């Protein structure tokens, strides 16, 4: 049964054992061989597991080895041919019921026997016995006839049978081929018309033709001489639809396998003398698209076959006409439709399409193809295909197909190096840029704005990919030069076509360079300038239609230019500024942003830029140039001449940019004056914040790229300025206040701030006046709506109301948008008078109502619409303002972060660090509450929630990793630190979560470390002792144990001196068992003595604090023992997890007392814990608790015993010393005592003798 195992190794082991016994073993016999043949032939007909594979493989090997041995192992009669006998045995055992039985079998059994015969014949073929010249020709013919009979059995048996025929023809001897082909194959294939042959017969026909064409030893048959059966371009023409339909039906055989007819076709084309290219073109034109990819006839199976055929044609032949194979309609149907990015309808053929694309790229990027046009042709045809695809809106091939096809073909895949052929890739990159430029200009000329904008995006992505690839691979200088040239070419194109009025460009004086001047060595600056000028003049020389670039395309070009500059930074900003100058000077070009009225202003700004460039502050100068590039604009929209909003915005941007540039230039010039002692960092900070919060730095319109460029330049300028600060300048409180106000908000800087509740009350009071003013405006709107002739029978009543509402909305739109609040408050008396104005109710003389009030349905509806409209408008305005504020704060955070991450550590002082702590904590708390309220409330606005989370993460990171880890010198003012510590404690009381409490706790530790050693204990006691009392006694408090844990971990000596006594009291008098347990946990850490030192920056002060902390621990040790004694007798504390903290505290203090040599009374007092520990050992059900109590009791008794022994020794020593002192003081008395003692001894001796 091992031969039928699904495991290939197990099958091989079983076959090896059988072959060794039959062939190799010395005790083999013919009966075993005959029995083995019988079992192997029967096993071929079994459908269990992998029986056919195992038995056929073993049979093939046995036949091969037996034919090479001297004696047969099968028991065949000597007069018979072994090979003929083996065929007879195979037919006998693979016939349903054998030769002697004619009983028909069931369909499944009959199928198994047929497959068994097929596998048996294949085993004989693969044994190699039929390839011998001694093999009878009749035997080969008989095997071929057996295979033909299998072919005619069922349609699903045709392909394997024909595949076995091909193997038989390939393995037999040439003499046998010359007999079998004309006598057996030709009659089999000549039954029908060649156009009516099945796919399997076509495969056999083309295979035989290929064999006869490639083997001169074979005599040509009628299959190779008949013109009807030869492959020609007419074979796949529309005149033979039956053959095309037959080939189309082979799509039922899907990938990873392909029908054998296609391999036979490729083999035939390789061996034929006909024009292979014409035949393939006919196959593509008449079969590939019409029958497999046509929209009306395509299926998943046919499209899969088309993908496989594209792959096989491209990789099998040296087929240069890729444009015919990858024509646009084929690219669209085969690749774009199968690799779509639709989440709701994902194509089942997406893996196959990506696999085929990967194979095409691998073939094109092989070493033998790198110097050919194959790679470039593949790039061009794929891009053409996606461009002309009607159903595709994305023209970037990699994005549309979700692959890296273009990146790999262009050599821009991540870490893809190409040092050996840099020149080839450089030329291909230049060729690719020209190709994209040509396609873009063609789209512009045809007024296809979408395609033109898409090619602008492709150019930008290509430039960015080249830049990042060069940075990641670290190529040599030649590659850097190529990268720079590519990026500058694309930037020049965007600058000229997107920002310049092409009608103002004339021929450049520098463009026509003589031959002699070309030989001279030019400077790098001259070459850069000529690149922009050459781009402009070359575009000018083209057709006039190219010069009229649509507004949407110009806008996209400007946006991508700014984005490209933000990626490449310094060099490209200089290049664009110099190119702009060169265009103005050499070609007389004018930017769209330039007006004749502003020439003087533009000239002054340029003078400022040129003067700033000569001063050695590269980062600030770069910022000025980046701001100057903000003046570039795409001009006016020709289709919307009356649109004034963008023009007004452009004017505002230009005015702000000019103002900021002048301010920056003033700072640069003032900072280089020797007699100027001012700190200009404050002015620079204000300008940077103004830039980041200004409207031209927001992501609106076409300024997405310029905003990023300006922000990056602001960050670089600020960081480098701080790093290069001289000693006389630093970040003082004024600079830090400006940064904190910008990053944290104004409300966090208010020192009298009492909390969010008070602020909300104040804001509500301020909004009441605004609401009253808006109600007056609303009243006029309501009255106007009521004054309409609202009649229930009027069909146009609702239309009139809506028209009136729109008119009043346009009038009061500005006022409505300027107000704040959430709801509209209406005066009831005003509303009542409005509703009564057109009614028939009579009034008395005093203003009273005589009749019943009749409400007008139309007025009620108008009123509801107006209220809803105003509420939505005010809410949207508030959301927009909040989102804008959060975004501005998020951008300004980088300035604050740069101060604490600067390499210049001299910029930080005690005052600056402590000043930043409280506003950051307040800002963090407000943001956290806002985010939590947005999550909890369904009605709350979700606008700006992502920005809030990002800002919260930035503040958390800044506090935890930078601000609260600064090492302060310890010289801060005690009064200021006390005030700051109290306000931080107030923040803890308002804490929304444990994260905020932890940060506030670390801030308290920072304040403690900032104070000098003389006042540090006073401040710590003033803060932590009341906090401990409140934590242990008050129920409604937000203080937690983490506050005391942080102090103990950061300032262990100060914590021991400050908190030991209070912790002992809290462990005894806390309001709950949990707090008592927490007190014991902290006490165990206090007495553990694992951390010492590091409380202050002064090492001598640390030594004094360490000694004082040991004294404090010794002083409170006795009271702690008494508290532990009471806790061991408390039923609430000896349950569950509580007792572990008590026992841990007991163990820790016992170890402390054991190591301490100063306090005898405390050592003896340890004995008071022995009895409670024994009782706990007896009562506890936990084995671990019992073991701990036993160990503690043993340790305590040893300490007490040791102390008693020490006391006894000390008492004996004291008595001895006392006796010696007395003896020296009275010598006579001592001598007499000696005489008495000697006399008594003598008397005793006498008594003893008697």
């Amino acid at each position: 049964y091992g031969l039928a195992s699904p495991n290939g190794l197990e099958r091989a082991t079983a076959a090896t054992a059988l072959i060794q016994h039959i062939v190799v073993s010395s005790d083999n016999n013919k009966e075993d061989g005959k029995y083995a043949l019988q079992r192997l032939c029967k096993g071929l007909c079994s459908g269990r597991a992998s029986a056919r594979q195992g038995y056929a493989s073993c049979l093939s090997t046995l036949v091969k080895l037996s034919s090479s041995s001297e004696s047969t192992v099968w028991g065949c009669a000597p007069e018979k041919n072994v090979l003929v006998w083996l065929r007879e045995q195979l037919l006998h055992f693979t016939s349903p019921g054998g030769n002697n039985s004619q009983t028909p079998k069931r369909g499944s059994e009959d199928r198994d026997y047929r497959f068994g015969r097929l596998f048996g014949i294949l085993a004989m073929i693969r044994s190699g016995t039929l390839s011998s010249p001694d093999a009878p020709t009749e035997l080969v013919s008989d095997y071929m006839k057996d295979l033909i009979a299998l072919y005619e059995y069922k349609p699903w048996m045709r392909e394997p049978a024909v595949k076995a025929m091909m193997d038989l023809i390939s393995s037999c001897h040439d003499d046998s081929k010359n007999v079998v082909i004309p006598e057996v194959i030709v009659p089999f294939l000549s039954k029908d018309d060649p156009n009516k042959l099945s796919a399997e017969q076509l495969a056999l026909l083309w295979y035989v033709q290929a064999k006869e064409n490639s083997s001169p030893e074979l005599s040509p048959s009628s299959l190779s001489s008949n013109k009807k059966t030869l492959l020609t371009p007419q074979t796949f023409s529309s005149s033979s639809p039956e053959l095309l339909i037959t080939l189309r039906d082979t799509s039922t055989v899907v990938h990873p396998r392909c029908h054998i007819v296609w391999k036979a076709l490729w083999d035939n084309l390789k061996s034929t003398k006909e024009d292979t290219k014409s035949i393939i073109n006919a196959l593509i034109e008449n079969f590939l698209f019409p029958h497999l990819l046509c929209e009306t006839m395509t299926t998943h199976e046919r499209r899969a076959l088309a993908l496989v055929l594209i792959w096989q044609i491209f990789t099998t032949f040296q087929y240069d006409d890729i444009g015919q194979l990858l024509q646009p309609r084929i690219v669209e149907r085969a690749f774009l439709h199968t690799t779509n990015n639709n989440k709701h309808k994902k194509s089942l053929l997406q893996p196959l399409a990506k696999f085929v694309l990967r194979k095409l790229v691998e073939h094109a990027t092989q070493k033998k193809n790198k110097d050919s046009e194959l790679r470039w042709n593949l790039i061009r045809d794929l891009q053409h295909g996606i461009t002309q695809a009607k159903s595709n809106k994305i023209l970037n091939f990699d994005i549309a197909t979700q692959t890296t096809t273009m990146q790999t073909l262009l050599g821009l895949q991540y870490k893809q190096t190409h040092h050996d052929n840099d020149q080839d890739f450089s030329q291909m990159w230049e060729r690719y840029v020209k190709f994209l430029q040509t396609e873009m200009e063609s789209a512009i000329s045809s007024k296809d704005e979408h395609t033109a904008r898409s090619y602008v995006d492709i150019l930008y992505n290509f430039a960015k990919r080249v830049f990042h690839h060069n940075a990641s691979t670290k190529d040599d200088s030649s590659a850097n030069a190529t990268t720079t040239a590519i990026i500058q070419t694309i930037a020049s194109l965007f600058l000229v076509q997107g920002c310049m009025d092409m009608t103002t460009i004339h021929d450049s004086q520098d463009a026509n360079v003589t031959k002699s001047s070309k030989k001279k060595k030019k400077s790098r600056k001259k070459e850069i300038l000529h690149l922009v000028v050459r781009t402009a003049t070359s575009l000018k020389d083209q057709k006039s239609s190219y010069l009229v670039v649509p507004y949407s395309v110009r806008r996209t070009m400007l946006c991508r230019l700014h984005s490209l500059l933000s990626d490449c930074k310094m060099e490209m900003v200089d290049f664009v500024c110099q190119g702009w100058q060169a265009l103005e000077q050499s070609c007389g070009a004018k930017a769209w942003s330039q007006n004749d009225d502003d020439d003087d202003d533009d000239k002054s700004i340029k003078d400022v830029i040129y003067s700033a460039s000569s001063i050695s502050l590269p980062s600030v100068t770069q910022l000025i140039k980046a701001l100057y590039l903000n003046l570039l604009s795409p001009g006016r929209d020709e289709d919307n001449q009356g649109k004034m909003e963008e023009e007004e915005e452009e004017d505002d941007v230009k005015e702000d940019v000019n103002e900021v540039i002048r301010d920056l230039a003033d700072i640069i010039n003032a900072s280089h004056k020797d007699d100027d002692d001012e700190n200009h960092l404050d002015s620079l900070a204000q300008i940077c914040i103004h830039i980041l919060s200004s409207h031209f730095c927001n992501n609106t319109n076409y300024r997405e790229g310029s905003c990023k460029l300006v922000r990056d330049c602001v960050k670089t300028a600020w960081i480098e300025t701080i790093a290069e600060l001289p000693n006389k300048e630093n970040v003082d409180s004024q600079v830090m206040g400006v940064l904190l106000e910008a990053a944290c908000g104004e409300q966090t800087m208010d020192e009298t701030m009492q909390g969010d509740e008070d602020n909300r009350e104040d804001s509500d009071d301020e909004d009441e006046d605004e609401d009253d003013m808006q109600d007056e405006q609303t009243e006029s709107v309501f009255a106007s709506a009521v004054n309409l002739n609202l009649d229930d029978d009027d069909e146009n009543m609702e239309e009139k109301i809506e028209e009136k509402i729109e008119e009043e909305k346009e009038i009061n739109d500005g006022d409505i948008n300027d107000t704040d609040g959430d709801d509209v408050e209406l005066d009831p008396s005003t509303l009542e008078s409005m509703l009564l104005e057109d009614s028939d109710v009579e009034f008395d003389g005093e203003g009273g109502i005589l009749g019943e009030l009749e409400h007008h349905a139309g007025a009620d509806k108008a009123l509801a619409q107006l209220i809803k409209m105003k509420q939505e408008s005010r809410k949207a305005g508030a959301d927009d303002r909040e989102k804008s504020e959060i975004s501005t704060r998020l951008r300004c955070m980088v300035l604050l972060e740069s101060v604490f991450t600067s390499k210049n550590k001299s910029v930080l002082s005690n005052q600056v660090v402590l000043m930043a702590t409280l506003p950051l904590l307040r800002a963090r708390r407000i943001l956290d509450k806002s985010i939590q309220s947005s999550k909890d409330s369904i009605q709350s606005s979700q606008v700006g929630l992502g920005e809030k989370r990002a800002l919260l993460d930035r503040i958390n990171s800044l506090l935890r990793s930078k601000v609260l880890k600064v090492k302060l010198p310890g010289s801060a003012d005690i009064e200021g630190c006390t005030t700051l510590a109290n306000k931080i404690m107030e923040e803890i009381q308002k804490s929304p979560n444990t994260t905020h409490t932890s940060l506030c706790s670390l801030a308290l530790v920072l304040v403690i470390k900032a104070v000098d050693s003389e006042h540090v204990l006073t401040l710590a006691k003033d803060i932590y002792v009341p906090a401990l009392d409140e934590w242990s006694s008050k129920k409604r408090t937000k203080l937690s144990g983490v506050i005391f844990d942080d102090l103990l971990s950061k300032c262990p000596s100060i914590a021991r001196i400050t908190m030991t006594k209070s912790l002992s009291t809290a462990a005894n008098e806390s309001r709950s068992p949990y707090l008592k347990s927490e007190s014991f946990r902290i006490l165990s850490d206090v007495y553990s003595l694992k951390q010492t030192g590091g409380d202050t920056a002064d090492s001598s002060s640390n030594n004094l604090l360490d000694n004082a902390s040991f004294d404090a621990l010794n002083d409170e040790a006795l009271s702690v023992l008494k508290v532990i004694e009471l806790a061991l007798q408390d039923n609430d504390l000896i349950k569950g997890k509580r007792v572990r903290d008590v026992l841990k505290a007991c163990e820790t203090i016992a170890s402390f007392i054991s190591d301490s040599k100063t306090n005898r009374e405390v050592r003896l007092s340890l004995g008071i814990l022995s009895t409670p520990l024994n009782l706990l050992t007896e009562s506890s059900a936990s084995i671990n608790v019992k073991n701990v109590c036993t160990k503690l009791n043993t340790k305590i008794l040893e300490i007490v015993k040791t102390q008693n022994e020490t006391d006894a020794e000390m008492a004996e020593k004291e008595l001895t010393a006392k006796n010696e002192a007395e003896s020296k003081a009275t010598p006579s008395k001592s001598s007499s005592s000696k005489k008495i003692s000697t006399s008594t001894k003598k008397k005793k001796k006498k008594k003893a003798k008697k």
Side-chain angles (χ1 to χ4, degrees), residues 94 284 313 349 511 532 551 797 823 917 1005 1035 1044 1139 1229:
T94 57
I284 295 171
I313 293 173
L349 296 178
V532 180
Y551 171 78
M797 178 185 64
D823 300 321
T917 306
V1005 175
K1035 186 175 183 179
F1044 315 113
V1139 71
K1229 186 176 180 179

Side-chain angles (χ1 to χ4, degrees), residues 1006-1110:
L1006 180 69
V1007 175
I1008 295 295
K1009 287 188 172 184
V1011 183
D1012 56 1
S1013 57
E1014 296 180 2
H1015 304 90
V1016 63
L1017 293 177
T1018 305
L1019 179 60
K1021 290 179 180 179
D1022 293 342
I1023 296 300
Y1024 285 95
V1025 172
L1028 264 171
D1029 296 340
E1030 180 181 347
W1031 172 70
S1032 61
S1033 60
K1034 291 185 179 181
K1035 186 175 183 179
R1036 292 187 177 181
T1037 180
K1038 290 191 177 181
L1039 299 179
S1040 63
V1042 69
I1043 303 172
F1044 315 113
D1045 292 334
D1046 288 338
L1047 180 65
L1048 184 59
S1049 62
K1050 304 295 181 181
C1051 304
S1053 299
I1054 296 175
R1056 294 186 181 106
I1057 298 171
T1058 305
M1059 300 190 305
T1060 305
K1061 185 175 181 180
S1062 300
L1063 283 171
S1064 176
T1065 305
N1068 187 32
E1069 300 177 359
S1070 292
R1071 58 182 177 83
S1072 66
Y1074 168 74
L1075 293 177
K1076 291 180 180 180
S1077 175
E1078 281 291 292
S1079 301
F1080 279 113
R1081 181 186 63 79
I1082 301 174
L1083 270 175
S1084 64
D1085 294 336
V1086 167
Y1087 276 93
S1088 64
L1089 301 180
K1090 293 181 179 179
Q1091 295 181 352
T1092 57
D1095 294 63
T1096 63
D1098 188 4
S1099 58
S1100 60
S1101 300
N1102 289 333
N1103 295 330
L1104 294 175
L1105 289 173
D1106 290 341
N1107 296 331
S1109 66
F1110 286 119

Side-chain angles (χ1 to χ4, degrees), residues 246-258:
T246 300
L247 293 178
R248 185 186 65 192
D249 294 339
T250 59
S251 61
T252 54
V253 181
V254 295
H255 183 77
R257 198 172 69 82
C258 189

Side-chain angles (χ1 to χ4, degrees), residues 27 80 96 131 170 206 218 392 499 523 668 708 743 964 1102:
D27 57 348
K80 294 200 69 173
S131 61
S170 176
W206 290 335
L218 295 179
N392 190 63
C499 309
S523 64
I668 294 175
K708 185 176 183 298
L964 300 180
N1102 289 333

Side-chain angles (χ1 to χ4, degrees), residues 60-61 63-65 67 83 121-135 171-173:
S60 175
T61 307
V63 172
K64 181 179 180 179
L65 294 177
S67 63
L83 298 179
I121 296 174
L122 287 173
M124 297 300 175
I125 294 173
R126 295 185 181 183
S127 67
T129 54
L130 300 180
S131 61
S132 173
D134 299 334
S171 61
C172 68
H173 194 264

Side-chain angles (χ1 to χ4, degrees), residues 166 169-170 174 177-178 181 205-221 224 230 263-264 266-274:
M166 294 179 181
I169 294 173
S170 176
D174 291 341
K177 294 177 184 177
N178 290 327
I181 291 176
L205 169 64
W206 290 335
Y207 178 79
V208 171
Q209 289 179 350
K211 282 292 182 182
E212 292 179 349
N213 292 335
S214 59
S215 300
E217 298 84 2
L218 295 179
S219 26
S221 63
S224 301
L230 293 179
K263 186 178 185 306
W266 309 141
D267 293 339
N268 195 324
L269 290 177
K270 289 180 181 179
S271 63
T272 186
K273 297 180 181 179
E274 298 290 336

Side-chain angles (χ1 to χ4, degrees), residues 681 684-685 714-722 735 739 895 898-899:
L681 197 61
L684 181 60
V714 167
K715 178 181 177 181
T716 304
W718 179 253
I719 292 175
E720 293 186 4
T721 302
I722 293 178
V735 176
L739 296 178
L895 305 179
S898 303
V899 174

Side-chain angles (χ1 to χ4, degrees), residues 427-663:
Q427 293 177 358
M428 186 171 60
W429 289 351
E430 295 175 359
R431 194 173 180 181
Y432 184 64
V433 172
K434 292 180 180 177
F435 166 73
L436 295 178
Q437 180 181 354
T438 304
E439 293 293 322
M440 180 187 67
E441 292 172 351
S442 176
I444 292 173
S445 63
S446 60
K447 297 182 180 181
D448 188 357
E449 298 184 12
H450 169 70
T451 303
R453 291 197 305 270
S454 300
Y455 273 109
V456 171
D457 290 334
I458 295 174
L459 279 168
Y460 161 70
N461 290 325
F462 174 67
K464 186 172 67 172
R465 176 64 64 177
V466 168
F467 176 78
H468 290 299
H469 179 268
N470 185 50
S472 63
T473 55
K474 298 180 181 180
D475 288 340
D476 53 10
S477 57
S478 60
N480 292 332
T482 303
T483 300
T484 304
I486 292 295
I487 297 174
Q488 289 178 354
T489 301
I490 296 175
S492 301
L493 183 65
F494 290 168
L495 175 64
V496 174
Q497 286 192 308
C499 309
M500 298 295 162
D501 187 359
M502 301 291 292
T503 58
T504 61
I505 297 177
H506 57 75
D507 294 336
S508 172
Q509 298 176 358
D510 298 330
N512 299 323
V513 183
T514 60
K515 294 182 179 181
S516 60
S517 62
K518 288 184 180 179
K519 297 179 181 179
K520 296 180 181 180
K521 185 177 181 180
K522 298 180 181 180
S523 64
R524 180 62 182 163
K525 182 176 180 181
K526 192 76 173 178
E527 293 178 359
I528 292 176
L529 296 181
H530 276 189
L531 178 60
V532 180
V533 173
R534 286 198 301 270
T535 302
T537 53
S538 63
L539 292 172
K540 180 72 176 178
D541 295 338
Q542 295 175 2
K543 295 181 180 179
S544 58
S545 59
Y546 292 167
L547 301 179
V548 184
V549 181
Y551 171 78
S552 61
V553 180
R554 297 200 305 267
R555 185 170 175 169
T556 305
M557 285 183 176
L558 180 57
C559 179
R560 297 298 174 261
L561 174 62
H562 285 304
S563 300
L564 186 60
L565 295 179
S566 64
D567 291 331
C568 303
K569 298 292 187 311
M570 300 285 290
E571 295 181 358
M572 288 305 301
V573 172
D574 293 336
F575 166 76
V576 174
C577 288
Q578 293 170 0
W580 189 357
Q581 180 186 2
L583 286 174
E584 292 177 348
Q585 295 178 355
S586 302
C587 302
K590 284 188 178 182
W592 289 106
S593 58
Q594 289 179 328
N595 297 323
D596 296 335
D597 300 336
D598 300 334
D599 288 343
D600 296 336
D601 194 15
D602 293 338
K603 185 177 180 181
S604 62
I605 290 297
K606 292 174 184 177
D607 294 338
V608 169
I609 294 174
Y610 298 150
S611 62
S613 301
S614 61
I615 301 175
S616 58
L617 281 179
S619 58
V620 181
T621 305
Q622 196 75 12
L623 174 58
I624 292 177
K625 292 181 179 180
L627 289 170
Y628 180 62
L629 292 179
N630 263 271
L631 298 177
L632 292 172
S633 72
R636 298 181 179 181
D637 189 357
E638 296 83 0
D639 297 333
N640 293 322
Q641 294 292 339
K643 195 172 183 180
M644 301 298 295
E645 295 179 0
E646 293 186 1
E647 296 179 7
E648 293 177 358
E649 182 181 354
E650 289 298 323
D651 295 338
D652 294 340
V653 168
K654 188 172 183 179
E655 183 178 353
D656 290 347
V657 168
N658 293 341
E659 181 181 354
V660 172
I661 289 176
R662 291 191 180 93
D663 293 341

